[in-house]
Amino acid sequence: MLSDPAPDAPVIVSDEPGSFPRSVFLDRHPALVRRVLDAFPYGPGQRRALDALLRESTQGVIEPLAADAPDRARWDAWGAPEHIGKSWLDAPFLWAESFFYRKLLDAVGWFGPGPWQGVDPFRPFKLAELHTAEADEERAALDRIAARPADEQAAALLHGSLWGNRADLGFQMGADKAQEGGTGSPVLVDDSDALWRLLPAGTPSTVYLVADNAGREIVPDLLLADHLLRHGRAARVVLHVKPHPYYVSDATTADVLDALRHLTASEAHGAAHAAGTRLWAAMSDGVLEVRAHPFSCAPLPYADMPDDLRADFADATVTLLKGDLNYRRLVGDRLWPATTPFAERTAYFPGPVAALRTLKSQVIVGLDAGTQRTLDASAPDGAWRTAGTHAVIQVRP
């Protein structure tokens, strides 16, 4: 495991009373387990295993994976021996949260062998997002966007991808609003222009898009990919997803296919149907490629990525990392001063990189001092960092 290139800020842990990470372990995880139990008729053994995981993660210490776990050696390399036997709340938040989801999959039988092997415990939640009034409105909004000039379409689709499960807001944004920044806008940093300069129309660019969530979030990601391909800003798009279920709604290959079917079935909304049809063909032709590297589910920052993944990202004209978890892994899940330059924290990354991120955790870099003062004054408890009400588009060319 590599060292962080600049470990001069405290690692985020969950032991502080009243902190956001602590609430994840003590409030969110128990609520999640209840939802999972309500969604499936799991048997007594699985229910006992989930109850035991909750007791362990809220009251006990970190227990090791089974000796015969298929990825035991991988997790040992990812730092498990350093944390086994310690309180979950004392371990780095990123590591402990990731290990919780790994053990949840064990509890429900994902790794098998058995009849529940490969059954995604979060699938009902992901699918439900594609069958809502909001999802229908987003498909209808695409028809309206399709009538705009290409540059305005690009701005709207980029912001749709940025906001993820608030994609309806992104789709409604005009090109002028997309350029707003600073404390008067929920987009605190908007480096959109720098991103578009990396992707001029008519060049054989390769865009890597590291996905975040499934359901309604990956739909605008796919629509952005379609726009890049259709308008010549990319000759090829590589979509990185998770190799197995992770963090409730993180996208896997199966979720990408569900989203494509959602679009291609949108015959009442011509633009969505056409985009889905083009994307389906792009996958068949290899122009849109899906990859799922094991490190996508690692509890480590991207600074520790293995050599094969580093070489993969180095092939990209630009890599777009979506969402909060990818941001934490990109800049390091530490309490950096908010004014720490984004370029400094991403200097190790092999090639140009962009972060499209809605703020849902404590870590943030790349703000100017005035913006931070205003935000801290408006929410002294730091809620602006975790409430999902602000976002950034940050680019390091």
Side-chain angles (χ1 to χ4, degrees), residues 145-170:
I145 290 173
R148 295 179 177 179
D151 286 350
E152 291 187 18
Q153 292 181 41
L157 291 170
L158 181 65
H159 279 250
S161 180
L162 169 68
W163 286 107
N165 60 12
R166 293 177 58 191
D168 53 336
L169 172 62

Side-chain angles (χ1 to χ4, degrees), residues 88-101:
W88 285 79
L89 301 182
D90 290 336
F93 179 42
L94 175 63
W95 195 95
E97 195 176 12
S98 297
F99 200 52
F100 173 86
Y101 282 101

Side-chain angles (χ1 to χ4, degrees), residues 33-86:
V33 169
R34 287 193 296 271
R35 288 187 69 195
V36 168
L37 287 171
D38 288 343
F40 287 94
Y42 288 128
Q46 291 158 303
R47 290 174 177 271
R48 284 193 298 270
L50 286 169
D51 288 341
L53 175 59
L54 279 185
R55 287 194 301 273
E56 177 189 328
S57 61
T58 57
Q59 304 170 27
V61 298
I62 300 171
E63 301 289 347
L65 297 175
D68 61 350
D71 55 352
R72 171 70 181 261
R74 181 178 294 149
W75 275 92
D76 284 350
W78 287 345
E82 302 171 32
H83 306 299
I84 298 302
K86 299 179 181 178

Side-chain angles (χ1 to χ4, degrees), residues 19-295:
S19 68
F20 172 76
R22 190 180 184 92
S23 72
V24 168
F25 271 92
L26 301 186
D27 300 325
R28 289 193 182 188
H29 287 174
L32 167 64
V33 169
R34 287 193 296 271
R35 288 187 69 195
V36 168
L37 287 171
D38 288 343
F40 287 94
Y42 288 128
Q46 291 158 303
R47 290 174 177 271
R48 284 193 298 270
L50 286 169
D51 288 341
L53 175 59
L54 279 185
R55 287 194 301 273
E56 177 189 328
S57 61
T58 57
Q59 304 170 27
V61 298
I62 300 171
E63 301 289 347
L65 297 175
D68 61 350
D71 55 352
R72 171 70 181 261
R74 181 178 294 149
W75 275 92
D76 284 350
W78 287 345
E82 302 171 32
H83 306 299
I84 298 302
K86 299 179 181 178
S87 167
W88 285 79
L89 301 182
D90 290 336
F93 179 42
L94 175 63
W95 195 95
E97 195 176 12
S98 297
F99 200 52
F100 173 86
Y101 282 101
R102 168 59 184 83
K103 298 195 84 173
L104 188 152
L105 291 184
D106 248 352
V108 300
W110 163 269
F111 291 101
W116 292 92
Q117 185 175 15
V119 176
D120 185 347
F122 312 128
R123 183 169 171 78
F125 318 140
K126 298 173 182 178
L127 287 177
E129 286 195 357
L130 297 176
H131 301 284
T132 61
E134 292 83 0
D136 287 340
E137 168 55 25
E138 286 157 11
R139 287 184 294 184
L142 192 60
D143 287 331
R144 299 193 291 273
I145 290 173
R148 295 179 177 179
D151 286 350
E152 291 187 18
Q153 292 181 41
L157 291 170
L158 181 65
H159 279 250
S161 180
L162 169 68
W163 286 107
N165 60 12
R166 293 177 58 191
D168 53 336
L169 172 62
F171 281 149
Q172 309 284 338
M173 285 184 174
D176 291 340
K177 288 187 177 181
Q179 297 303 316
E180 291 177 2
T183 57
S185 166
V187 182
L188 301 176
V189 179
D190 190 344
D191 292 338
S192 300
D193 288 344
L195 176 60
W196 297 129
R197 284 194 295 270
L198 290 170
L199 299 172
T203 57
S205 301
T206 297
V207 174
Y208 278 41
L209 201 166
V210 183
D212 187 27
N213 293 327
R216 285 176 58 211
E217 178 163 347
I218 202 163
V219 170
D221 296 345
L222 290 168
L223 294 174
L224 176 61
D226 173 64
H227 181 88
L228 296 175
L229 292 168
R230 187 183 180 199
H231 292 275
R233 289 187 179 271
R236 182 166 163 262
V237 174
V238 176
L239 181 67
H240 272 266
V241 297
K242 302 300 190 296
H244 58 67
Y246 190 60
Y247 276 66
V248 187
S249 57
D250 282 32
T252 65
T253 302
D255 301 317
V256 173
L257 298 178
D258 286 336
L260 289 178
R261 293 188 183 102
H262 168 75
L263 289 170
T264 57
S266 306
E267 295 188 8
H269 305 298
H273 175 74
T277 301
R278 287 190 299 268
L279 288 163
W280 193 278
M283 282 192 67
S284 299
D285 295 339
V287 175
L288 172 62
E289 181 181 352
V290 179
R291 296 181 185 173
H293 194 284
F295 193 77

